[in-house]
Amino acid sequence: MMSSVEFNTLLVGNADFLKPFAFTLTKDAEQAKDLYQETLFRALSNQEKYLEGTNIRAWLFTIMRNIFINHYRKKAKNRMIAEPSVSDFFLNYQQSPTSNKADTNLRMKDIHVAVYHLPQIFKQPFLLYYEGYKYFEIADILQEPLGTIKSRIHFARKILKTQVLRH
């Protein structure tokens, strides 16, 4: 049986080929990093399953491919059940234990005012997302990197949440 030190040396010496493969699978640098790290973690935690003399690259490739497929299936299943969106925020926020229409209308007005007062850098991608555009479509429209768009929409939500809850 191979020692942990020998396995770690073999793993580190043969892991670099996984990085471009992870990017090929995910088409996203951040997701590729996550997939790469999870693959190495799984390889380390399943070291006892590696048979000495087996092609370690093929073994690592199989681990990465299986992780990617499982995540893809999980995402697809979750999308089929319910895909959360910005409109869910508005819908869930409107729901209250009372049926007071005036109170609901005031809250919606607060939300609209909060959206209106968002800095333009956050407001524009947030409104496009709210209108139903996908992240990559917004990135194309605004000529910004995909990660930047995701970040701006995330911060817009945080700002709205704090502003609306304050009222």
Side-chain angles (χ1 to χ4, degrees):
M1 183 154 166
M2 185 181 279
S3 73
S4 288
V5 173
E6 290 172 323
F7 180 78
N8 291 347
T9 304
L10 185 63
L11 180 67
V12 170
N14 287 285
D16 281 345
F17 86 97
L18 289 171
K19 289 178 182 179
F21 181 61
F23 186 78
T24 300
L25 289 173
T26 62
K27 308 282 189 269
D28 179 78
E30 288 302 312
Q31 289 179 6
K33 286 179 191 175
D34 291 343
L35 180 59
Y36 175 77
Q37 289 176 357
E38 188 170 350
T39 301
L40 294 182
F41 173 76
R42 292 257 179 99
L44 286 170
S45 61
N46 291 295
Q47 171 183 343
E48 73 282 354
K49 294 178 182 175
Y50 175 73
L51 301 174
E52 192 171 354
T54 304
N55 181 344
I56 190 149
R57 287 183 175 215
W59 189 67
L60 292 170
F61 170 81
T62 302
I63 292 171
M64 180 174 278
R65 184 176 45 87
N66 289 342
I67 292 169
F68 176 76
I69 290 169
N70 290 339
H71 282 288
Y72 179 81
R73 286 180 181 156
K74 191 176 186 180
K75 280 185 192 176
K77 184 179 177 184
N78 287 342
R79 257 187 250 125
M80 288 173 62
I81 294 170
E83 188 172 80
S85 68
V86 176
S87 59
D88 290 342
F89 171 79
F90 288 107
L91 292 173
N92 292 335
Y93 190 79
Q94 286 184 44
Q95 295 175 355
S96 66
T98 63
S99 61
N100 186 340
K101 294 268 186 201
D103 186 48
T104 301
N105 289 340
L106 286 173
R107 287 185 182 187
M108 281 307 295
K109 184 179 177 188
D110 289 343
I111 292 170
H112 288 287
V113 167
V115 169
Y116 177 77
H117 282 43
L118 278 174
Q120 188 63 29
I121 197 165
F122 299 126
K123 183 177 11 179
Q124 193 173 15
F126 177 81
L127 288 174
L128 287 169
Y129 186 78
Y130 179 69
E131 289 171 9
Y133 288 95
K134 303 287 184 207
Y135 287 125
F136 72 91
E137 294 172 322
I138 298 167
D140 285 343
I141 291 169
L142 300 179
Q143 297 295 303
E144 294 283 353
L146 182 62
T148 301
I149 295 302
K150 288 180 178 181
S151 175
R152 288 179 182 169
I153 291 170
H154 169 77
F155 283 117
R157 285 177 168 165
K158 283 180 79 169
I159 291 168
L160 289 173
K161 186 175 179 181
T162 58
Q163 287 180 350
V164 171
L165 291 178
R166 226 185 296 150
H167 291 294

